[in-house]
């Protein structure tokens, strides 16, 4: 009788003492969140687009959408791994309220719900692009061509 209780106790202690790993934000996401918080970027509920949505991948939580009026950092409500897929599939169909506007909390990009838009000035965009340019780190935004 003591052996089963000992084994159960050992399993319980091992489970409680183990480190739980979740699919939470990585260091690059923390860097972008810190950038947004310290930059005090103006938030918008909607942005005006051209014909199609074009974006620059930042990470699974953020993209930059260039428009005629400037660039906007788009934060999603959760992880969006669909942004990295090279081809469109049926589960990536976007929900759009309007053909010319994107709305936070209503519309999607690649099937991922948009949380908020942050307006980026050109200097702030360059600062965001340089976040990953520390020695030994990879860049979060592709270099300008």
């Amino acid at each position: 009788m003591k052996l089963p209780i000992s084994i159960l106790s050992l399993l319980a202690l091992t489970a409680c003492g183990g480190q739980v790993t979740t699919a939470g934000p990585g260091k690059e996401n923390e860097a972008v969140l810190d950038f947004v918080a310290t930059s005090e970027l103006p938030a918008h509920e909607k942005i005006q687009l051209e014909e199609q949505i074009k974006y620059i991948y930042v990470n699974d939580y953020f993209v930059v959408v260039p428009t005629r009026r400037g660039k906007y950092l788009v934060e999603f409500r959760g992880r969006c791994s669909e942004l990295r897929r090279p081809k469109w599939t049926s589960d990536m169909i976007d929900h759009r309220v309007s053909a010319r506007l994107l709305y936070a909390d209503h519309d999607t990009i690649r099937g991922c719900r948009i949380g908020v838009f942050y307006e980026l000035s050109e200097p702030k965009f360059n600062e965001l692009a340089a976040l990953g340019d520390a020695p030994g780190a990879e860049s979060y935004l592709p270099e300008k061509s």
Side-chain angles (χ1 to χ4, degrees):
M1 185 69 166
K2 288 184 180 181
L3 185 60
I5 293 174
S6 298
I7 292 173
L8 288 175
S9 298
L10 182 61
L11 286 174
L13 286 173
T14 305
C16 292
Q19 184 177 8
V20 178
T21 57
T22 61
K27 287 186 179 184
E28 77 262 7
N29 193 46
E30 290 175 20
V32 177
L33 289 170
D34 289 344
F35 169 78
V36 169
T38 58
S39 298
E40 298 179 357
L41 301 174
H44 296 274
E45 292 181 10
K46 63 184 175 182
I47 60 172
Q48 189 170 1
L49 295 174
E50 277 119 60
E51 300 272 329
Q52 294 179 341
I53 299 174
K54 297 176 183 171
Y55 63 84
I56 302 166
Y57 177 82
V58 178
N59 59 37
D60 285 355
Y61 296 87
F62 292 93
V63 295
V64 173
V65 175
T67 69
R68 290 183 192 188
R69 295 188 175 164
K71 294 179 177 75
Y72 294 88
L73 181 65
V74 179
E75 181 178 1
F76 294 100
R77 293 177 117 191
R79 170 170 258 146
C80 185
S81 58
E82 305 300 328
L83 298 168
R84 292 181 276 126
R85 281 199 190 173
K87 294 188 178 190
W88 288 82
T89 60
S90 61
D91 62 338
M92 295 180 198
I93 296 172
D94 288 331
H95 176 265
R96 301 272 300 273
V97 173
S98 168
R100 294 291 218 178
L101 297 172
L102 264 185
Y103 290 91
D105 292 327
H106 297 290
D107 292 342
T108 64
I109 296 177
R110 288 208 147 187
C112 301
R113 188 164 304 277
I114 298 167
V116 66
F117 301 104
Y118 297 105
E119 188 175 340
L120 286 173
S121 63
E122 197 61 33
K124 288 295 180 186
F125 173 74
N126 293 335
E127 187 179 336
L128 176 65
L131 278 179
D133 291 343
E138 60 185 66
S139 178
Y140 301 127
L141 293 178
E143 292 184 18
K144 294 180 184 177
S145 42

